[in-house]
Amino acid sequence: MVKGKDALRAYFKKGLEAYPNLKFDLLDMMWGLSSVVLYYVNQKGTKTGEFMEIDSNGKIVRVVANYNG
């Protein structure tokens, strides 16, 4: 679980150190009443779907990622 800006910054820093060529090519974006799903291809060429739940203040409160491969 990642909470707060400092924790999020550290999370992404670690990811970029592990994958310096990290990139995402957006394939589709789907909106719901209180959620959004991003569907993309990453630097390895595999597809990912990320479900993001949004609270009444417009903040993301939960993310669930699903990976292909």
Side-chain angles (χ1 to χ4, degrees):
M1 184 176 289
V2 177
K3 286 189 174 187
K5 289 181 182 179
D6 291 337
L8 185 60
R9 188 175 290 112
Y11 174 81
F12 277 104
K13 183 176 186 260
K14 186 176 180 181
L16 289 170
E17 287 170 354
Y19 300 100
N21 296 322
L22 188 65
K23 72 173 195 158
F24 307 104
D25 293 319
L26 187 64
L27 299 175
D28 203 354
M29 183 169 70
M30 296 158 271
W31 288 93
L33 293 176
S34 60
S35 64
V36 63
V37 174
L38 300 180
Y39 185 50
Y40 60 86
V41 175
N42 66 20
Q43 77 284 352
K44 295 180 191 177
T46 59
K47 294 177 184 170
T48 301
E50 289 195 28
F51 165 85
M52 299 177 195
E53 187 175 353
I54 303 168
D55 70 10
S56 60
N57 295 314
K59 299 221 179 219
I60 296 170
V61 294
R62 183 169 68 118
V63 177
V64 178
N66 296 271
Y67 303 97
N68 177 352

